[in-house]
Each structure stands twice: as C-alpha cells, then as structure tokens.
Amino acid sequence: MSRQAGKDDAARLVAEVRAALAEWRRAGVEWVAPEAWGRPAPARPETHVPGPLAPEPVAGPRAAAAPPPPAPPPPRAPAPAVPARDLFGFPVADDRPRRRGGAGLFAAEPAEPPAASLAEVRERLGDCRRCKLWTGRTNIVFGVGNERARLMFVGEGPGRDEDLQGEPFVGRAGQLLTKIIEAIGLKREQVYIANVVRCRPPDNRTPEPDEIAACQPFLRQTMAVVRPKVVVALGSVAAQTLLGTTRGITALRGKFHQAGDYRVMPTFHPAYLLRNPAAKREVWEDMKLVRDALAALPKEE
Ligand code: URA
C-alpha cells in the first residue's frame, strides 16, 4: 500500500469512529473505558451535555446575549450490571486459565456472569421455577460445605430426606458418603457437596434433560465460586452432566477426566453401593486416586 493510500485509510477510519461516537451520543450511549467497566459511574455535574451536543462557546460581547444554559439531560436509566471483565471480555473474577471445549458443563464460555460468592449464586437461583420440579419440592437443596473446598462432590438430585431438610446427602446414601469422605482423611465440613438438580424429582426418578439443563448454570456458578481442585461425580447423571458424554459410570470411573478447569473423578453413587456393597472396592480405588491427587497439590493452592 502506498503512503498516501495508508493516510487515506487512516483518515477514513478516524472519520468513521467520530461518526459512530456522535451517533452513540445522540442515542444517549456513553463511552466508558473498559478498565472502568463494573465500577460505579463517576458523579457528573447535572448540566453535563456530551461533546458535539454541547452549545458552542460564545466569545466577546455576544456572550451577554448567550442563550440560557441547556436544560439538564433526562435522568439516566440505571446502568445494567456489567461483570468485571478484562479488555478482551473475559471475566476477571476467576483468574485461572480458562479451559473450554469438548462437551459437558464447561464446553463453552458461560452465558452467566461469575458470582462473587455462593450467597450470590443462591440469590440468583431465588424461588426457582425454571423447570417443573419446583411443583413437588419442599425445599430447594442448594449445596453444603466449605465455600473454598479443594474437593467437591456432585450427586444427582435430592431424595426425600434431602428435600425435607434442605441439605444434600443427609439420608442413608448421605451417611455412606460421609464415611467415604472420612476414609480419605477429610471431614464432611471440609468438602463441598452439591447435586446436578436442586429439587427432588418425583418418586426419586432420574432428572430429565430439561430439568438438568435448567439447573446447569447454577452448578457451573457454584463450581466457579468454590473452584475445587478435584470433583467427584457420584453416579452416571453427575458424570454425564459434567463431562457431556452418554457413557455409563462403569466405563468412566477409575480415572480422572478434564471438564473445563476441573479434574473430575467419576465413581459409583453411594445409593448404588447400598444396593451393591461389593462395588465399594472400586469406589475405594477411585477415592485413593482422589486422595493422592489432593496430596500432590502445592500447599498454598
Ligand atoms: N442422592 C443424590 O444424588 N443426592 C442427594 O443429595 C441425596 C441422594
């Protein structure tokens, strides 16, 4: 490209940017530098009129006859909540490398902004009626445990006891899960426990795809807050949801799988172990791998 053609291009670009900015201002859109996104807007004098719409300065004696100051602009609509994002649009709350791709819960960049705490995720969930399970529930069973746990367990969905008490894994299967946790030297309070769906399916049936889909953003947000180093998927529903596969738990268990930023160990569900105690041996093998993976982590992580 010749030097002149380059200059022409640059001039055209500048003119286009100016025209676009003027158009935005006319439409009431205010330019905010990306590094200020998510911060409250600075206080402005009431009479501020943006750039080209401001009255021309009037010099000399004509100033006396200057028109009255412009009317204040109409009140602004409150700015929509903008999550803290870097220049490239990635959320800055989670500063780890963000692995996306494959299938499953972390296949793509989440549509929802990151939450700062589990309380915020719970607040977003509200009195959820996003799927039909709300009609039969007593309590939403959100999750329980350490908000900064290194180890997280994901089950399928609340049963009768969980629905009544509002806490996951408190029935017979839950008592077995507590023993499994203790078998690797941890206390239940040290881990985080959640389910794929937060409302009890009728008669403890398997959650349906639309119910799982409705609850997925909340599992994803929960995991993004807790940021566990290892996730144990209890049973097929949890493993298939996290990994985005239709393979069964027998094929998946016994080794780590990656789901986004998370190392996932699928294993048999404690309720299955209550019916098939012989399978405890395999779960113990899986849990030893989990214990070793946690032990290998740097202390400060
Ligand atoms: N089974 C689950 O999958 N989750 C619970 O919370 C209880 C039983």
Side-chain angles (χ1 to χ4, degrees):
M1 185 189 295
S2 74
R3 182 178 287 238
Q4 187 52 46
K7 278 185 183 165
D8 291 349
D9 266 4
R12 206 173 314 119
L13 198 62
V14 169
E16 278 171 16
V17 170
R18 282 203 176 125
L21 284 173
E23 186 61 36
W24 286 0
R25 286 194 187 107
R26 263 193 295 282
V29 176
E30 187 182 9
W31 165 253
V32 179
E35 56 272 22
W37 294 352
R39 293 194 210 135
R44 286 184 170 287
E46 275 292 288
T47 52
H48 171 76
V49 178
L53 297 188
E56 289 292 322
V58 185
R62 289 179 59 207
R76 282 175 201 283
V82 181
R85 285 175 184 271
D86 68 16
L87 271 178
F88 305 99
F90 288 101
V92 293
D94 182 351
D95 53 357
R96 285 186 307 174
R98 305 181 70 79
R99 294 196 205 186
R100 303 287 171 225
L105 202 59
F106 305 95
E109 192 62 26
E112 62 277 356
S117 64
L118 291 179
E120 188 179 339
V121 182
R122 180 65 190 85
E123 200 180 318
R124 288 178 184 179
L125 184 62
D127 181 27
C128 185
R129 294 175 182 200
R130 293 171 179 83
C131 82
K132 55 194 175 297
L133 290 182
W134 77 271
T135 55
R137 76 174 174 229
T138 313
N139 287 297
I140 292 180
V141 180
F142 182 73
V144 72
N146 179 353
E147 181 151 348
R148 293 282 170 263
R150 295 175 142 204
L151 177 59
M152 177 164 173
F153 290 84
V154 179
E156 181 176 312
R160 187 171 161 277
D161 295 315
E162 290 76 20
D163 174 60
L164 292 174
Q165 296 186 40
E167 182 174 326
F169 284 98
V170 289
R172 279 183 70 223
Q175 286 157 22
L176 182 51
L177 176 61
T178 303
K179 286 188 182 156
I180 292 170
I181 294 166
E182 289 170 352
I184 56 164
L186 293 171
K187 296 195 180 92
R188 189 175 154 106
E189 309 78 66
Q190 289 178 291
V191 307
Y192 196 79
I193 306 172
N195 281 307
V196 168
V197 295
R198 278 149 195 75
C199 298
R200 182 192 183 196
D203 302 319
N204 296 345
R205 66 156 167 74
T206 303
E208 292 173 355
D210 62 312
E211 296 157 0
I212 294 174
C215 235
Q216 271 188 1
F218 298 96
L219 178 57
R220 198 160 39 218
Q221 291 173 64
T222 300
M223 291 174 70
V225 170
V226 177
R227 296 168 57 167
K229 300 294 173 194
V230 175
V231 179
V232 176
L234 298 166
S236 293
V237 171
Q240 291 173 353
T241 301
L242 289 169
L243 303 176
T245 176
T246 54
R247 296 173 74 204
I249 192 68
T250 308
L252 294 169
R253 62 150 293 275
K255 64 176 179 3
F256 282 105
H257 302 252
Q258 196 71 30
D261 290 327
Y262 307 98
R263 294 185 80 191
V264 177
M265 173 61 74
T267 197
F268 293 124
H269 193 288
Y272 174 80
L273 297 183
L274 292 174
R275 299 190 300 272
N276 301 278
K280 284 181 186 172
R281 198 158 40 84
E282 280 102 319
V283 171
W284 176 232
E285 293 306 316
D286 300 341
M287 293 308 295
K288 279 192 288 181
L289 295 175
V290 167
R291 180 191 63 190
D292 294 348
L294 292 171
L297 289 172
K299 275 263 177 302
E300 71 283 3
E301 263 200 72

